[in-house]
Amino acid sequence: MTGRFRLAGALAGAMLLASCVSSPRTEAVKPPTAANAIESGIAPGPAIETLGIGARDALDALSSFRESCPKLLTRSDASGLTISADWQPACAAASAWQPNDAQAFFARYFETVRVGNGTAFATGYYEPEIHGSRTHIPGYDVPIYALPDDLVRAWPASTPDSERTGRAPLGRYDESGAFVPYYERAEIEAGALAGRGLEIAWVADPVEFFFLQIQGSGRLIAPDGTVMRIGYAGQNGREYVGIGSVMRQRGLLGDGPGQYPGSMQGLMAYMRENPEDGRALMNLNKSWIFFRELTGDGPLGALGVPVRRESSVAADPAFTPLGAPVWLAMDRPEANGLWIAQDTGGAIKGSNRFDTFWGAGEDARRIAGGMSTRGNALIFVPKGTLARLRSQ
């Protein structure tokens, strides 16, 4: 063929644009009808030998699969498709498998499953590169905040005991001791967190930083050329609003006179040419992402391993086991081939919904920003999985 990062994950490329990208890429979505892959219905797919997996594609996927194995063997699978023991033979073999025969690895240890009708929709996300500085210097005035210690989960006093199920909401305790929602974007922009020593870096462009927050990770390029990689640390718990959908409702996106393209580049162009309205649009999205410095060789996805360009894909773990190989046959050839599910995203919900990772750089930005493709998907599960499921 990168919370993620979602990264908090994650945000994300065309996902963002369709409703506007650790992990942290979030968006209001309708919950899927089925709770997981099993409830969606599964059927055997074609033999892996018939898919025509390319040598380079298989090699990249094998490398990412190998990185995923320590997590695969210890985490539970919300999709209902697999149990950790299913993965043990493939993971044991992956550690020593010869790279020149990666295609044979997948053919030997996996079988394909079609979840639901297999009809898939995929978008793209990437690791933005924007101008930033570890210190507050002239021209770099937009702070990047670490996770604040007063952001906690608790139940508001008004919540009846009978409704205190699942995870408590995020918020903070105010001066009176009442639990209230955490500061929203507009309040943070106005300085609600200033002076608390939470700044880990500063950036030059608020529009670029807004989109980096949606992606959930990125690289800060300092004036001297040094690079600081940052990743998702948490979110304020406030509502995400996709500004692309708002702009479309307002008639700002399209092909007509005075309209802007429905791509990330089009959204940015509008916001730069209309700075006051652009800031108001950004503030409609109350969600705020907090960051931490990353020191590894790639942004971390929700699985806790680095996501890799053209190899990692975000998926809904209720329908695709995180760590599993995914085969995509889409109407955009760039998205075709073998990927490894290593990340999640707030807008990546339901069966056969994926977000392809394209790395960093201008080409990654261009591809992810325009990626919106439909086709079909197969999930690779360890051989014997279908027989075990049928026997239950």
Side-chain angles (χ1 to χ4, degrees):
M1 282 288 121
T2 124
R4 79 138 77 242
F5 47 127
R6 180 217 247 143
L7 305 187
L11 190 190
M15 169 201 74
L16 161 71
L17 311 172
S19 179
C20 259
V21 355
S22 37
S23 144
R25 300 176 310 285
T26 52
E27 175 181 342
V29 293
K30 294 181 180 179
T33 302
N36 60 20
I38 298 298
E39 290 189 13
S40 292
I42 61 172
I48 288 174
E49 295 91 333
T50 68
L51 298 178
I53 303 174
R56 182 68 194 185
D57 198 6
L59 179 60
D60 290 345
L62 175 58
S63 178
S64 288
F65 176 76
R66 188 182 290 123
E67 288 186 301
S68 299
C69 273
K71 303 293 183 179
L72 263 174
L73 295 175
T74 58
R75 73 191 312 273
S76 59
D77 178 8
S79 76
L81 289 172
T82 68
I83 57 177
S84 59
D86 293 336
W87 298 98
Q88 290 176 358
C91 284
S95 63
W97 197 269
Q98 294 300 310
N100 61 353
D101 199 20
Q103 295 143 300
F105 168 78
F106 291 101
R108 178 170 178 178
Y109 285 97
F110 292 91
E111 58 192 7
T112 67
V113 171
R114 183 175 287 107
V115 177
N117 62 10
T119 301
F121 176 55
T123 49
Y125 71 112
Y126 72 110
E127 186 181 21
E129 293 180 330
I130 68 175
H131 296 296
S133 171
R134 291 180 181 273
T135 57
H136 191 187
I137 60 177
Y140 292 72
D141 298 318
V142 181
I144 298 178
Y145 291 118
L147 192 68
D149 58 9
D150 62 340
L151 175 61
V152 296
R153 289 190 180 274
W155 294 106
S158 59
T159 304
D161 289 343
S162 60
E163 296 180 10
R164 299 188 181 197
T165 59
R167 297 182 78 190
L170 286 165
R172 65 183 179 90
Y173 289 96
D174 67 11
E175 295 78 3
S176 69
F179 184 73
V180 298
Y182 205 73
Y183 302 112
E184 63 181 74
R185 175 175 296 276
E187 294 171 311
I188 294 174
E189 293 274 12
L193 300 180
R196 292 175 50 178
L198 295 170
E199 298 87 353
I200 63 170
W202 302 79
V203 298
D205 188 335
V207 173
E208 293 279 4
F209 181 54
F210 177 81
F211 284 89
L212 187 151
Q213 283 191 299
I214 295 171
Q215 298 291 335
S217 65
R219 301 179 185 186
L220 307 182
I221 311 300
D224 63 2
T226 58
V227 177
M228 177 183 180
R229 174 174 270 141
I230 59 173
Y232 177 85
Q235 191 255 4
N236 63 348
R238 301 303 298 269
E239 308 88 326
Y240 178 92
V241 173
I243 64 170
S245 60
V246 174
M247 291 178 65
R248 195 171 297 281
Q249 292 166 7
R250 294 178 180 179
L252 297 170
L253 301 182
D255 299 324
Q259 291 184 316
Y260 292 77
S263 64
M264 182 173 61
Q265 290 81 359
L267 270 61
M268 284 186 167
Y270 172 83
M271 296 167 77
R272 295 191 192 289
E273 293 171 16
N274 303 272
E276 291 187 11
D277 290 343
R279 181 164 294 280
L281 271 173
M282 289 190 288
N283 284 339
L284 290 177
N285 177 19
K286 298 182 180 181
S287 173
W288 183 274
I289 303 302
F290 300 101
F291 290 93
R292 62 189 177 93
E293 182 172 4
L294 299 179
T295 57
D297 63 348
L300 295 179
L303 191 59
V305 300
V307 291
R308 307 295 186 187
R309 177 183 173 123
E310 298 182 69
S311 182
S312 300
V313 68
D316 185 339
F319 297 87
T320 302
L322 287 190
V326 175
W327 176 260
L328 296 182
M330 313 299 285
D331 55 22
R332 284 282 298 271
E334 304 98 310
N336 287 344
L338 192 57
W339 304 76
I340 305 298
Q342 295 176 309
D343 206 358
T344 61
I348 313 304
K349 296 297 183 184
S351 59
N352 306 309
R353 174 68 173 96
F354 302 103
D355 203 24
T356 54
F357 181 65
W358 295 94
E362 283 303 313
D363 65 328
R365 178 178 179 135
R366 174 181 53 79
I367 296 170
M371 179 59 66
S372 179
T373 182
R374 297 184 183 276
N376 294 281
L378 296 168
I379 310 301
F380 286 18
V381 295
K383 280 188 176 178
T385 298
L386 286 170
R388 178 182 58 76
L389 290 171
R390 282 193 292 265
S391 69
Q392 291 179 348

